[in-house]
Amino acid sequence: MESVIYLDYAATTPMREEVFQAMKPYMTKEFGNPSSAYSLGRTAREAVNSARKIIADSIGAKENEIYFTSGGTEADNWAVKGTYRKALLEGRHCHIITDEIEHHAVLHTCKALEDIGCEVTYLPVDDTGKVNPAMLERSIRKDTALVSVMMANNEIGTIQPISELSKIAKRHNILLHVDAVQAYGHMPINVDELGIDMMSVSAHKLYGPKGIGFLYVREGILDEALLNGGSQEMGMRAGTENVAAIVGLGEAVRLAMQELYDEAERERKLRDYFIDRVTAEIPYVRLNGAYGAGRLANNINFSFSFVESESLLIMLDMKGICISAGSACATGSKSPSHVLTAIGLPTNLANGSIRLTLGRSTTKEELDTAFNAIKEAVLALREVSIQYEDFTKGQQVNENRRILY
Ligand code: PLP
């Protein structure tokens, strides 16, 4: 479509031209298998190694601590299931602590482990989506093997106090896994400074290709192979490497790190401009997640009273505006978002929620167009809402009221 306004960069990002160009040779003439000894193979191996180095440098890790995966979901599964298997092999019972607003890649993995005897504590979050470190400390048991808390939430953008959580985990000798799929490339992350033991990342959230990501694993903490077979990925994830995708990930990381601070600052300003405009000019709206520094630079999430987000999304789609009703993975599910429920939203408000996520191409003009379309659609939907009619009959509508629930 020609005049699309794409505001769903948390769902996925378009691949950068530079990334595509970097990948191209490895899909055609440089097609060697990195395990082959001759020069065609060595070229592919060098390309994989150089991507691994770029990535390791970007988080202050060593090259042998980066394992390529098919993306964030696989990395999350590996970290959580690997820790469980390690505990079992060492003859220990396994307890895992996570929180209620993790991505399903972590939550459903934990549920699957519960089916086979693992015990899991799901920490509640406050009304902005933040995990309380004191609550983590209170939930720790003798058999706790892993704490898994995301760096930043994919729906409401809340940034977790990872440094505080990691100090608690370290004090009790417990591993910390961090799903950084939404945060990496948007904010600086150093695994040593933050005390992270394992970290999941996905390339398609940072203008890289789909189907590739990595799991950072601190040296010596986990020797549970994800896939058994050949000796690829230091024997931990067998199977011929997706060389072109790995090269693309490396290039996407290199570019993201170069632009990190400037781009985050630019998006932060646009984010706050849009948030301030919506709260000032559309009545009966609630900002979900933190305001200001505790929020990802590119994330905006609002709930509108007396509006169904599905209808809103269709009306915006007709104008070529792509936003989401929550996480893309939950689309099609009838139940309200687990994240919005966990921060205390009643079902009617959770069902009137939209997420806009900004990216490199987002401009103020695009946001102004999106704002006008959202305002028009919200007001039109309220015009035909019986609940809104009952509400306006029941009380005088004050156009300046910001929030209702
Ligand atoms: N974790 C978070 C926080 C995400 O937002 C996503 C994707 O939206 C994933 C994990 C899954 O990543 P992938 O799509 O690479 O499997």
Side-chain angles (χ1 to χ4, degrees):
M1 220 191 294
E2 217 178 83
S3 58
V4 159
I5 296 183
Y6 185 75
L7 292 168
D8 204 13
Y9 288 84
T12 197
T13 57
M15 201 197 289
R16 286 179 76 148
E17 182 59 28
E18 302 96 311
V19 170
F20 180 54
Q21 291 307 332
M23 291 170 69
K24 251 162 80 179
Y26 297 94
M27 293 187 277
T28 50
K29 59 182 185 349
E30 301 295 356
F31 61 88
N33 185 323
S35 299
S36 301
Y38 41 80
S39 71
L40 202 58
R42 282 201 306 276
T43 306
R45 189 156 63 247
E46 276 157 23
V48 169
N49 289 343
S50 113
R52 205 187 302 280
K53 171 147 178 47
I54 293 169
I55 291 164
D57 289 348
S58 76
I59 55 170
K62 294 184 221 135
E63 286 155 67
N64 64 355
E65 295 175 318
I66 305 297
Y67 297 91
F68 292 112
T69 64
S70 67
T73 301
E74 184 180 312
D76 285 344
N77 269 260
W78 190 359
V80 176
K81 288 178 181 164
T83 308
Y84 176 68
R85 191 177 134 87
K86 180 181 158 87
L88 287 198
L89 288 175
E90 290 170 358
R92 291 185 285 123
H93 186 262
C94 180
H95 171 240
I96 291 174
I97 302 175
T98 185
D99 63 87
E100 289 177 352
I101 67 165
E102 289 298 304
H103 190 271
H104 284 143
V106 167
L107 289 180
H108 289 174
T109 302
C110 287
K111 291 272 177 246
L113 290 185
E114 282 184 282
D115 292 343
I116 53 171
C118 181
E119 284 183 69
V120 183
T121 300
Y122 300 89
L123 296 174
V125 291
D126 70 14
D127 61 359
T128 67
K130 219 163 131 182
V131 170
N132 179 342
M135 223 173 247
L136 168 66
E137 182 117 48
R138 282 201 296 277
S139 306
I140 289 173
R141 311 188 330 198
K142 274 204 179 67
D143 56 353
T144 307
L146 180 72
V147 172
S148 181
V149 174
M150 69 206 320
M151 183 74 73
N153 185 267
N154 46 305
E155 290 189 42
I156 56 173
T158 303
I159 298 170
Q160 298 295 356
I162 293 299
S163 181
E164 279 177 76
L165 301 177
S166 83
K167 285 190 189 103
I168 295 167
K170 289 285 113 27
R171 251 201 325 275
H172 295 269
N173 220 3
I174 298 167
L175 297 179
L176 174 68
H177 165 247
V178 173
D179 175 336
V181 167
Q182 292 293 341
Y184 180 77
H186 291 278
M187 55 190 275
I189 298 175
N190 181 295
V191 287
D192 284 341
E193 282 168 17
L194 290 172
I196 295 171
D197 296 308
M198 289 180 276
M199 187 171 85
S200 308
V201 169
S202 180
H204 74 102
K205 310 289 187 182
L206 55 134
Y207 311 93
K210 294 176 179 56
I212 190 77
F214 69 86
L215 179 68
Y216 156 78
V217 184
R218 186 173 291 283
E219 199 171 14
I221 63 151
L222 191 75
D223 46 14
E224 299 310 308
L226 175 72
L227 298 175
N228 305 109
S231 60
Q232 292 92 349
E233 294 305 294
M234 299 156 269
M236 297 276 275
R237 186 188 185 267
T240 302
E241 298 88 340
N242 187 348
V243 180
I246 290 171
V247 168
L249 168 58
E251 180 65 0
V253 169
R254 191 183 70 75
L255 295 164
M257 294 305 144
Q258 258 175 21
E259 297 167 6
L260 186 67
Y261 292 95
D262 289 349
E263 183 53 23
E265 192 46 34
R266 195 188 74 85
E267 289 177 16
R268 196 171 292 121
K269 283 191 185 128
L270 286 174
R271 174 199 72 185
D272 292 343
Y273 164 73
F274 191 85
I275 288 176
D276 291 345
R277 222 181 143 190
V278 169
T279 46
E281 295 182 40
I282 306 181
Y284 312 121
V285 64
R286 178 194 203 271
L287 174 70
N288 298 315
Y291 186 83
R295 174 177 209 111
L296 272 181
N298 74 334
N299 176 287
I300 297 166
N301 189 311
F302 279 115
S303 292
F304 296 100
S305 300
F306 316 112
V307 166
E308 286 282 333
S309 54
E310 287 305 314
S311 314
L312 189 51
L313 254 53
I314 293 167
M315 290 168 81
L316 294 173
D317 185 31
M318 278 156 48
K319 295 187 169 173
I321 299 170
C322 310
I323 61 165
S324 114
S327 69
C329 315
T331 304
S333 128
K334 282 235 179 329
S335 46
S337 138
H338 67 286
V339 175
L340 298 178
T341 306
I343 61 169
L345 258 65
T347 306
N348 59 335
L349 261 193
N351 285 341
S353 305
I354 57 168
R355 177 188 74 177
L356 290 80
T357 41
L358 321 183
R360 292 180 63 245
S361 317
T362 307
T363 61
K364 182 169 170 293
E365 290 66 38
E366 283 188 330
L367 288 182
D368 284 336
T369 307
F371 171 80
N372 291 334
I374 290 170
K375 183 172 180 181
E376 196 182 296
V378 165
L379 299 185
L381 288 168
R382 283 180 183 160
E383 279 303 303
V384 294
S385 155
I386 293 167
Q387 287 83 2
Y388 186 62
E389 196 186 328
D390 289 348
F391 171 74
T392 50
K393 270 191 208 142
Q395 75 178 83
Q396 186 70 36
V397 178
N398 172 1
E399 283 299 314
N400 291 324
R401 249 180 96 174
R402 300 274 183 275
I403 162 70
L404 176 88
Y405 88 102

